Amino acid sequence: MKTTYAFLPVVLILFMLGSCTPKINFMASSKVPAATGYIKTKKDKNNNYVVDVEVLNLAAPERLDPPRQVYVVWAELSQSNVKKLGLLKPSSTKTLKASLSAPATSEPIRVFITAEQNADVQYPASDEILVTARR
């Protein structure tokens, strides 16, 4: 009986470590050098993934050269499948923080952000602003 209770904290710690979602940082960008951020992915109960994106110091897209209208977040799900996750809108506060939470049917190989002329784009049309490394 005592042995069961002795292993309980170990099992609990292993469970907590296994349930943590890894944080993957965006690589530094020459287009928006002050921007930093990361993504977290986690599997939900339906075996889909939730991708959480957090970015700080993201300048307004109209301030880029050339100016753009909107930031779009994309997930590369396989070699030939890129999915639009949604739009990022930097806050007007000093931190210029932007965040997004979006579903994906499979775990992303990489996530990247582009600055686009309009929000209706279905495929990335401009250069990548921020990108994670391939998994």
Side-chain angles (χ1 to χ4, degrees):
M1 188 75 154
K2 284 187 178 183
T3 355
T4 305
Y5 289 122
F7 286 108
L8 189 59
V10 173
V11 170
L12 184 59
I13 290 170
L14 289 175
F15 175 75
M16 287 174 32
L17 288 175
S19 66
C20 293
T21 56
K23 185 165 70 169
I24 301 168
N25 292 324
F26 283 106
M27 293 187 281
S29 167
S30 61
K31 298 196 185 327
V32 284
T36 60
Y38 61 87
I39 67 158
K40 287 185 179 181
T41 58
K42 60 185 170 192
K43 203 176 217 181
D44 67 15
K45 62 184 176 188
N46 297 320
N47 286 329
N48 291 315
Y49 287 83
V50 177
V51 180
D52 293 317
V53 179
E54 293 283 336
V55 180
L56 293 174
N57 300 317
L58 187 62
E62 346 23 278
R63 299 192 68 184
L64 297 175
D65 185 24
R68 302 292 183 182
Q69 295 300 311
V70 65
Y71 288 111
V72 181
V73 180
W74 307 89
E76 184 179 338
L77 302 176
S78 67
Q79 294 297 354
S80 61
N81 185 10
V82 174
K83 178 186 185 219
K84 179 180 176 180
L85 295 180
L87 306 178
L88 270 184
K89 185 174 182 180
S91 66
S92 58
T93 64
K94 279 187 166 183
T95 60
L96 299 172
K97 182 178 180 180
S99 61
L100 173 73
S101 185
T105 55
S106 60
E107 187 172 21
I109 297 170
R110 71 184 184 112
V111 174
F112 60 98
I113 300 170
T114 60
E116 303 291 347
Q117 288 293 10
N118 66 62
D120 297 332
V121 295
Q122 296 303 310
Y123 301 98
S126 71
D127 294 334
E128 296 173 354
I129 299 296
L130 290 170
V131 63
T132 64
R134 290 186 183 274
R135 291 180 178 222

